Amino acid sequence: MRIVVIGGGPVGQVLARRLAYHEVTLFDRPVTKPAMTLALAETTVKQLEALNIPLETGSVLQTVHVSERGVPGSMRLEASRLGLDAFGRVMCSLDLERAFQKSPSVQIDPRSVISVRARSQTRGPSVRLEDETEVTADLVCLCDGGRSPLVESLGMMPQYREFGRSAVLMRVEVSQPRMHCAFERFTRSGPLALLPLGGPRYGLVWSLPPDQAIRGVEDPETFLALAQAALGDLLGQLSAVTLPVVIPLVERWLETPYRPGIAVFGNGAQTIHPVAGQGLNLALRGVSRVVEALEGASLNDLDRRVQMGCRAWRRDRGQTRAASSLLEQVFAWHHPFRQLVSGATLSLLDHHQLAQRWIAEAGMGRYA
Ligand SMILES: Cc1cc2nc3c(=O)[nH]c(=O)nc-3n(C[C@H](O)[C@H](O)[C@H](O)COP(=O)(O)OP(=O)(O)OC[C@H]3O[C@@H](n4cnc5c(N)ncnc54)[C@H](O)[C@@H]3O)c2cc1C
C-alpha cells in the first residue's frame, strides 16, 4: 500500500515507522519548535523502544508528588510501591526529535503539503506539494499537529474550547533535587509542574491566565520569584536556566478524525490541556489502535479498518480529554470547602495503594 504521512513530529515519526512495511512517504516542513519538557508514560517509552528510538537523555520517572499550595495534605505516588519499574520518562522534546534523527528508518521529504483530497469514487486520496507536485496514495495520514489548515480544507470542523489559559515553560535548576520525582503543585493561579530532567535540572510548566503568563515572560525574575513562592521549600532554591516562553492553550478536537482515504492523528485530531501530561501519550495510543486495525487490511477494506481503529481509540480520547480539563477546573474553584475536600482526598489517596495503582494505570491509558 502507498501511504503518505504529513508531519514529522513525534506522532508522524512513530506512525511512519510502524507502517514502514508499506511504501511510506513522510512530508515534514522544517519549523522551529520551542523546547518542551514531556512526561512520556511507560506505555509510550515501550512503544518508542520497540522502534529502536534511543531514549538516553532526561530522567526515568519513579515518583509523582501532588499537592496544593496553602492546603494541608499531599499524595506521593511511588512506582516501586505499586509494583512498577517506573511511570515513564521525562525528556526534552528537542532531545526526542534528535533521538528520531539518530534512528532514521524513514526518509523525510522536507516539502510542505499545501492541500489534501479525500478518496473519491474514481481516484485515491492525494496531496499537493508546495512545488505543485501531486502525490497519490491509498491512505493519507495527517499528523500536522493542528498546525496547518489541511483538516479544515477537508471539510472537517474541529470543536474548540478556550481555556483562557496559557502555559509558561522554562528550564530551572533547584538546590535540593529529588531524583526521578515530578511535582504537580496546584496554585491559585493554576497548576505548576516541575518535571525532572536529571541532576538539579527541571522543566517548569505553569498554566496561568494569559495576562499573567505574558507578564511572566516580560519579567522573568518576578516570574521565578512567584514560582519559588508557589513551591515553597519543596526543592530548595530555584534558579533560571532558560528564559520563559509562553504557549496559549486551547482544547480542540475532531469528533470523527477520518474521511475516505484520510486519517488524522496527534494534536491535529485532539489538542488537550497539558496539566496531566497526556497529549502525546494519548496520541501514540491512538496510533497503536489504528496500526493494529490496519494489520492485514486490503485496499477495499482500508477505510473500514481506519474507522475501526479510531472507534477503538474513541473512549480513551474522550476520557483523557475530559479528565485533563476537569483537573484544571476543579482546582480553579477557590473555595474553602473544595480545598478541604481535595486536601483530605489527597491525604487519603496517599495511603490507599489500590487507588494509587488505578491512578497510575489510568495515566497509561490502560482502562480506556
Ligand atoms: C505546554 C505543553 C506541555 C505538554 N506536555 C506534555 C507531556 O508532558 N506529555 C505528553 O504526552 N504530551 C504533552 N504535551 C502535548 C505534546 O506536546 C503534543 O501532543 C505533541 O507534541 C504533538 O505531536 P504531533 O506530532 O501531533 O505535532 P507536532 O509536534 O506539532 O508536529 C507536527 C509536524 O507537522 C509538520 N507540518 C505541519 N503542517 C505541515 C504541512 N502542511 N506539510 C508538511 N509538514 C507539516 C510541522 O512542521 C511539524 O513538524 C504538551 C503540550 C504542551 C503545549
PDB file of all heavy atoms in Angstrom, residues 307-332:
ATOM      1  N   GLN A 307     -11.631   3.312  10.399  1.00  0.00           N
ATOM      2  CA  GLN A 307     -12.748   3.640  11.301  1.00  0.00           C
ATOM      3  C   GLN A 307     -12.740   2.751  12.533  1.00  0.00           C
ATOM      4  O   GLN A 307     -12.967   3.204  13.650  1.00  0.00           O
ATOM      5  CB  GLN A 307     -14.075   3.451  10.580  1.00  0.00           C
ATOM      6  CG  GLN A 307     -14.347   4.533   9.571  1.00  0.00           C
ATOM      7  CD  GLN A 307     -15.718   4.378   8.947  1.00  0.00           C
ATOM      8  OE1 GLN A 307     -16.636   3.844   9.556  1.00  0.00           O
ATOM      9  NE2 GLN A 307     -15.865   4.849   7.729  1.00  0.00           N
ATOM     10  N   MET A 308     -12.451   1.448  12.323  1.00  0.00           N
ATOM     11  CA  MET A 308     -12.400   0.506  13.461  1.00  0.00           C
ATOM     12  C   MET A 308     -11.354   0.967  14.472  1.00  0.00           C
ATOM     13  O   MET A 308     -11.579   0.998  15.674  1.00  0.00           O
ATOM     14  CB  MET A 308     -11.990  -0.892  12.967  1.00  0.00           C
ATOM     15  CG  MET A 308     -13.131  -1.813  12.646  1.00  0.00           C
ATOM     16  SD  MET A 308     -12.489  -3.306  11.823  1.00  0.00           S
ATOM     17  CE  MET A 308     -11.290  -3.917  12.992  1.00  0.00           C
ATOM     18  N   GLY A 309     -10.173   1.330  13.956  1.00  0.00           N
ATOM     19  CA  GLY A 309      -9.083   1.774  14.828  1.00  0.00           C
ATOM     20  C   GLY A 309      -9.472   3.034  15.589  1.00  0.00           C
ATOM     21  O   GLY A 309      -9.257   3.139  16.799  1.00  0.00           O
ATOM     22  N   CYS A 310     -10.077   3.986  14.881  1.00  0.00           N
ATOM     23  CA  CYS A 310     -10.470   5.253  15.536  1.00  0.00           C
ATOM     24  C   CYS A 310     -11.542   4.998  16.577  1.00  0.00           C
ATOM     25  O   CYS A 310     -11.561   5.623  17.632  1.00  0.00           O
ATOM     26  CB  CYS A 310     -10.956   6.265  14.503  1.00  0.00           C
ATOM     27  SG  CYS A 310      -9.611   6.912  13.493  1.00  0.00           S
ATOM     28  N   ARG A 311     -12.458   4.047  16.270  1.00  0.00           N
ATOM     29  CA  ARG A 311     -13.507   3.757  17.266  1.00  0.00           C
ATOM     30  C   ARG A 311     -12.904   3.117  18.508  1.00  0.00           C
ATOM     31  O   ARG A 311     -13.310   3.394  19.624  1.00  0.00           O
ATOM     32  CB  ARG A 311     -14.552   2.815  16.657  1.00  0.00           C
ATOM     33  CG  ARG A 311     -15.405   3.553  15.671  1.00  0.00           C
ATOM     34  CD  ARG A 311     -16.805   2.952  15.549  1.00  0.00           C
ATOM     35  NE  ARG A 311     -17.437   3.565  14.396  1.00  0.00           N
ATOM     36  CZ  ARG A 311     -17.651   2.950  13.255  1.00  0.00           C
ATOM     37  NH1 ARG A 311     -17.315   1.679  13.110  1.00  0.00           N
ATOM     38  NH2 ARG A 311     -18.218   3.587  12.262  1.00  0.00           N
ATOM     39  N   ALA A 312     -11.889   2.256  18.303  1.00  0.00           N
ATOM     40  CA  ALA A 312     -11.253   1.600  19.456  1.00  0.00           C
ATOM     41  C   ALA A 312     -10.535   2.633  20.333  1.00  0.00           C
ATOM     42  O   ALA A 312     -10.313   2.408  21.509  1.00  0.00           O
ATOM     43  CB  ALA A 312     -10.259   0.548  18.958  1.00  0.00           C
ATOM     44  N   TRP A 313     -10.205   3.758  19.744  1.00  0.00           N
ATOM     45  CA  TRP A 313      -9.452   4.800  20.456  1.00  0.00           C
ATOM     46  C   TRP A 313     -10.388   5.831  21.080  1.00  0.00           C
ATOM     47  O   TRP A 313     -10.005   6.623  21.934  1.00  0.00           O
ATOM     48  CB  TRP A 313      -8.526   5.450  19.412  1.00  0.00           C
ATOM     49  CG  TRP A 313      -7.639   6.551  19.828  1.00  0.00           C
ATOM     50  CD1 TRP A 313      -7.011   6.714  21.032  1.00  0.00           C
ATOM     51  CD2 TRP A 313      -7.247   7.661  19.023  1.00  0.00           C
ATOM     52  NE1 TRP A 313      -6.254   7.851  21.010  1.00  0.00           N
ATOM     53  CE2 TRP A 313      -6.382   8.451  19.782  1.00  0.00           C
ATOM     54  CE3 TRP A 313      -7.533   8.047  17.711  1.00  0.00           C
ATOM     55  CZ2 TRP A 313      -5.810   9.617  19.297  1.00  0.00           C
ATOM     56  CZ3 TRP A 313      -6.961   9.199  17.226  1.00  0.00           C
ATOM     57  CH2 TRP A 313      -6.112   9.975  18.014  1.00  0.00           C
ATOM     58  N   ARG A 314     -11.654   5.814  20.648  1.00  0.00           N
ATOM     59  CA  ARG A 314     -12.595   6.894  20.964  1.00  0.00           C
ATOM     60  C   ARG A 314     -12.782   7.108  22.462  1.00  0.00           C
ATOM     61  O   ARG A 314     -12.761   8.230  22.966  1.00  0.00           O
ATOM     62  CB  ARG A 314     -13.941   6.552  20.299  1.00  0.00           C
ATOM     63  CG  ARG A 314     -14.908   7.689  20.263  1.00  0.00           C
ATOM     64  CD  ARG A 314     -16.226   7.233  19.643  1.00  0.00           C
ATOM     65  NE  ARG A 314     -17.243   8.227  19.880  1.00  0.00           N
ATOM     66  CZ  ARG A 314     -17.471   9.252  19.086  1.00  0.00           C
ATOM     67  NH1 ARG A 314     -16.782   9.398  17.993  1.00  0.00           N
ATOM     68  NH2 ARG A 314     -18.401  10.123  19.387  1.00  0.00           N
ATOM     69  N   ARG A 315     -12.966   6.008  23.192  1.00  0.00           N
ATOM     70  CA  ARG A 315     -13.220   6.138  24.630  1.00  0.00           C
ATOM     71  C   ARG A 315     -12.015   6.762  25.336  1.00  0.00           C
ATOM     72  O   ARG A 315     -12.146   7.650  26.174  1.00  0.00           O
ATOM     73  CB  ARG A 315     -13.516   4.754  25.210  1.00  0.00           C
ATOM     74  CG  ARG A 315     -14.321   4.861  26.473  1.00  0.00           C
ATOM     75  CD  ARG A 315     -14.901   3.560  26.860  1.00  0.00           C
ATOM     76  NE  ARG A 315     -14.299   3.169  28.139  1.00  0.00           N
ATOM     77  CZ  ARG A 315     -14.309   1.960  28.608  1.00  0.00           C
ATOM     78  NH1 ARG A 315     -14.843   0.995  27.927  1.00  0.00           N
ATOM     79  NH2 ARG A 315     -13.775   1.698  29.770  1.00  0.00           N
ATOM     80  N   ASP A 316     -10.841   6.301  24.980  1.00  0.00           N
ATOM     81  CA  ASP A 316      -9.597   6.835  25.547  1.00  0.00           C
ATOM     82  C   ASP A 316      -9.508   8.344  25.282  1.00  0.00           C
ATOM     83  O   ASP A 316      -9.207   9.140  26.180  1.00  0.00           O
ATOM     84  CB  ASP A 316      -8.416   6.090  24.886  1.00  0.00           C
ATOM     85  CG  ASP A 316      -7.091   6.371  25.570  1.00  0.00           C
ATOM     86  OD1 ASP A 316      -7.096   7.054  26.604  1.00  0.00           O
ATOM     87  OD2 ASP A 316      -6.052   5.888  25.070  1.00  0.00           O
ATOM     88  N   ARG A 317      -9.809   8.740  24.050  1.00  0.00           N
ATOM     89  CA  ARG A 317      -9.752  10.173  23.690  1.00  0.00           C
ATOM     90  C   ARG A 317     -10.689  10.979  24.562  1.00  0.00           C
ATOM     91  O   ARG A 317     -10.310  11.991  25.141  1.00  0.00           O
ATOM     92  CB  ARG A 317     -10.201  10.378  22.241  1.00  0.00           C
ATOM     93  CG  ARG A 317      -9.248   9.929  21.200  1.00  0.00           C
ATOM     94  CD  ARG A 317      -9.872  10.177  19.841  1.00  0.00           C
ATOM     95  NE  ARG A 317      -9.836  11.567  19.494  1.00  0.00           N
ATOM     96  CZ  ARG A 317     -10.629  12.151  18.598  1.00  0.00           C
ATOM     97  NH1 ARG A 317     -11.541  11.462  17.965  1.00  0.00           N
ATOM     98  NH2 ARG A 317     -10.513  13.420  18.332  1.00  0.00           N
ATOM     99  N   GLY A 318     -11.947  10.510  24.640  1.00  0.00           N
ATOM    100  CA  GLY A 318     -12.961  11.253  25.388  1.00  0.00           C
ATOM    101  C   GLY A 318     -12.585  11.358  26.860  1.00  0.00           C
ATOM    102  O   GLY A 318     -12.621  12.435  27.457  1.00  0.00           O
ATOM    103  N   GLN A 319     -12.181  10.206  27.438  1.00  0.00           N
ATOM    104  CA  GLN A 319     -11.886  10.180  28.878  1.00  0.00           C
ATOM    105  C   GLN A 319     -10.663  11.034  29.208  1.00  0.00           C
ATOM    106  O   GLN A 319     -10.655  11.774  30.180  1.00  0.00           O
ATOM    107  CB  GLN A 319     -11.616   8.745  29.331  1.00  0.00           C
ATOM    108  CG  GLN A 319     -12.881   7.922  29.437  1.00  0.00           C
ATOM    109  CD  GLN A 319     -12.599   6.474  29.823  1.00  0.00           C
ATOM    110  OE1 GLN A 319     -11.458   6.054  29.906  1.00  0.00           O
ATOM    111  NE2 GLN A 319     -13.646   5.725  30.045  1.00  0.00           N
ATOM    112  N   THR A 320      -9.616  10.913  28.395  1.00  0.00           N
ATOM    113  CA  THR A 320      -8.378  11.636  28.710  1.00  0.00           C
ATOM    114  C   THR A 320      -8.587  13.137  28.551  1.00  0.00           C
ATOM    115  O   THR A 320      -8.110  13.926  29.357  1.00  0.00           O
ATOM    116  CB  THR A 320      -7.230  11.145  27.799  1.00  0.00           C
ATOM    117  OG1 THR A 320      -7.181   9.727  27.887  1.00  0.00           O
ATOM    118  CG2 THR A 320      -5.893  11.719  28.207  1.00  0.00           C
ATOM    119  N   ARG A 321      -9.329  13.531  27.511  1.00  0.00           N
ATOM    120  CA  ARG A 321      -9.602  14.952  27.300  1.00  0.00           C
ATOM    121  C   ARG A 321     -10.419  15.501  28.469  1.00  0.00           C
ATOM    122  O   ARG A 321     -10.086  16.539  29.050  1.00  0.00           O
ATOM    123  CB  ARG A 321     -10.364  15.123  25.976  1.00  0.00           C
ATOM    124  CG  ARG A 321     -10.606  16.545  25.581  1.00  0.00           C
ATOM    125  CD  ARG A 321     -10.932  16.645  24.092  1.00  0.00           C
ATOM    126  NE  ARG A 321     -11.983  15.750  23.635  1.00  0.00           N
ATOM    127  CZ  ARG A 321     -13.269  15.975  23.776  1.00  0.00           C
ATOM    128  NH1 ARG A 321     -13.693  17.049  24.384  1.00  0.00           N
ATOM    129  NH2 ARG A 321     -14.151  15.119  23.307  1.00  0.00           N
ATOM    130  N   ALA A 322     -11.478  14.761  28.851  1.00  0.00           N
ATOM    131  CA  ALA A 322     -12.348  15.236  29.933  1.00  0.00           C
ATOM    132  C   ALA A 322     -11.569  15.296  31.247  1.00  0.00           C
ATOM    133  O   ALA A 322     -11.664  16.278  31.985  1.00  0.00           O
ATOM    134  CB  ALA A 322     -13.550  14.316  30.068  1.00  0.00           C
ATOM    135  N   ALA A 323     -10.774  14.264  31.526  1.00  0.00           N
ATOM    136  CA  ALA A 323     -10.041  14.222  32.812  1.00  0.00           C
ATOM    137  C   ALA A 323      -9.041  15.371  32.883  1.00  0.00           C
ATOM    138  O   ALA A 323      -8.896  16.013  33.933  1.00  0.00           O
ATOM    139  CB  ALA A 323      -9.330  12.881  32.965  1.00  0.00           C
ATOM    140  N   SER A 324      -8.365  15.669  31.772  1.00  0.00           N
ATOM    141  CA  SER A 324      -7.363  16.733  31.778  1.00  0.00           C
ATOM    142  C   SER A 324      -8.022  18.086  32.043  1.00  0.00           C
ATOM    143  O   SER A 324      -7.513  18.896  32.811  1.00  0.00           O
ATOM    144  CB  SER A 324      -6.607  16.781  30.448  1.00  0.00           C
ATOM    145  OG  SER A 324      -5.921  15.573  30.250  1.00  0.00           O
ATOM    146  N   SER A 325      -9.194  18.333  31.405  1.00  0.00           N
ATOM    147  CA  SER A 325      -9.876  19.622  31.606  1.00  0.00           C
ATOM    148  C   SER A 325     -10.428  19.715  33.029  1.00  0.00           C
ATOM    149  O   SER A 325     -10.341  20.759  33.673  1.00  0.00           O
ATOM    150  CB  SER A 325     -11.053  19.781  30.653  1.00  0.00           C
ATOM    151  OG  SER A 325     -10.616  19.609  29.357  1.00  0.00           O
ATOM    152  N   LEU A 326     -10.988  18.592  33.502  1.00  0.00           N
ATOM    153  CA  LEU A 326     -11.620  18.594  34.822  1.00  0.00           C
ATOM    154  C   LEU A 326     -10.611  18.930  35.921  1.00  0.00           C
ATOM    155  O   LEU A 326     -10.898  19.701  36.840  1.00  0.00           O
ATOM    156  CB  LEU A 326     -12.249  17.219  35.079  1.00  0.00           C
ATOM    157  CG  LEU A 326     -13.169  17.137  36.283  1.00  0.00           C
ATOM    158  CD1 LEU A 326     -14.435  17.940  36.020  1.00  0.00           C
ATOM    159  CD2 LEU A 326     -13.528  15.681  36.589  1.00  0.00           C
ATOM    160  N   LEU A 327      -9.436  18.352  35.790  1.00  0.00           N
ATOM    161  CA  LEU A 327      -8.396  18.559  36.799  1.00  0.00           C
ATOM    162  C   LEU A 327      -8.113  20.055  36.975  1.00  0.00           C
ATOM    163  O   LEU A 327      -8.035  20.568  38.089  1.00  0.00           O
ATOM    164  CB  LEU A 327      -7.129  17.838  36.331  1.00  0.00           C
ATOM    165  CG  LEU A 327      -6.141  17.392  37.389  1.00  0.00           C
ATOM    166  CD1 LEU A 327      -6.823  16.551  38.451  1.00  0.00           C
ATOM    167  CD2 LEU A 327      -5.025  16.587  36.727  1.00  0.00           C
ATOM    168  N   GLU A 328      -7.983  20.745  35.839  1.00  0.00           N
ATOM    169  CA  GLU A 328      -7.718  22.193  35.909  1.00  0.00           C
ATOM    170  C   GLU A 328      -8.921  22.918  36.517  1.00  0.00           C
ATOM    171  O   GLU A 328      -8.771  23.782  37.378  1.00  0.00           O
ATOM    172  CB  GLU A 328      -7.400  22.725  34.505  1.00  0.00           C
ATOM    173  CG  GLU A 328      -7.567  24.219  34.349  1.00  0.00           C
ATOM    174  CD  GLU A 328      -6.252  24.987  34.279  1.00  0.00           C
ATOM    175  OE1 GLU A 328      -5.320  24.478  33.663  1.00  0.00           O
ATOM    176  OE2 GLU A 328      -6.189  26.090  34.848  1.00  0.00           O
ATOM    177  N   GLN A 329     -10.143  22.527  36.064  1.00  0.00           N
ATOM    178  CA  GLN A 329     -11.347  23.246  36.519  1.00  0.00           C
ATOM    179  C   GLN A 329     -11.578  23.080  38.019  1.00  0.00           C
ATOM    180  O   GLN A 329     -11.901  24.036  38.717  1.00  0.00           O
ATOM    181  CB  GLN A 329     -12.577  22.720  35.768  1.00  0.00           C
ATOM    182  CG  GLN A 329     -12.725  23.324  34.393  1.00  0.00           C
ATOM    183  CD  GLN A 329     -13.710  22.543  33.544  1.00  0.00           C
ATOM    184  OE1 GLN A 329     -14.433  21.684  34.029  1.00  0.00           O
ATOM    185  NE2 GLN A 329     -13.728  22.823  32.259  1.00  0.00           N
ATOM    186  N   VAL A 330     -11.399  21.842  38.512  1.00  0.00           N
ATOM    187  CA  VAL A 330     -11.655  21.588  39.937  1.00  0.00           C
ATOM    188  C   VAL A 330     -10.768  22.483  40.789  1.00  0.00           C
ATOM    189  O   VAL A 330     -11.230  23.166  41.704  1.00  0.00           O
ATOM    190  CB  VAL A 330     -11.405  20.089  40.267  1.00  0.00           C
ATOM    191  CG1 VAL A 330     -11.317  19.876  41.774  1.00  0.00           C
ATOM    192  CG2 VAL A 330     -12.501  19.230  39.670  1.00  0.00           C
ATOM    193  N   PHE A 331      -9.478  22.508  40.476  1.00  0.00           N
ATOM    194  CA  PHE A 331      -8.550  23.265  41.320  1.00  0.00           C
ATOM    195  C   PHE A 331      -8.648  24.776  41.070  1.00  0.00           C
ATOM    196  O   PHE A 331      -8.108  25.557  41.836  1.00  0.00           O
ATOM    197  CB  PHE A 331      -7.122  22.752  41.134  1.00  0.00           C
ATOM    198  CG  PHE A 331      -6.890  21.459  41.871  1.00  0.00           C
ATOM    199  CD1 PHE A 331      -7.092  20.234  41.248  1.00  0.00           C
ATOM    200  CD2 PHE A 331      -6.491  21.462  43.197  1.00  0.00           C
ATOM    201  CE1 PHE A 331      -6.892  19.042  41.919  1.00  0.00           C
ATOM    202  CE2 PHE A 331      -6.293  20.273  43.886  1.00  0.00           C
ATOM    203  CZ  PHE A 331      -6.502  19.060  43.243  1.00  0.00           C
ATOM    204  N   ALA A 332      -9.335  25.163  39.980  1.00  0.00           N
ATOM    205  CA  ALA A 332      -9.518  26.600  39.730  1.00  0.00           C
ATOM    206  C   ALA A 332     -10.647  27.170  40.589  1.00  0.00           C
ATOM    207  O   ALA A 332     -10.820  28.379  40.675  1.00  0.00           O
ATOM    208  CB  ALA A 332      -9.825  26.837  38.252  1.00  0.00           C
TER     209      ALA A 332
END
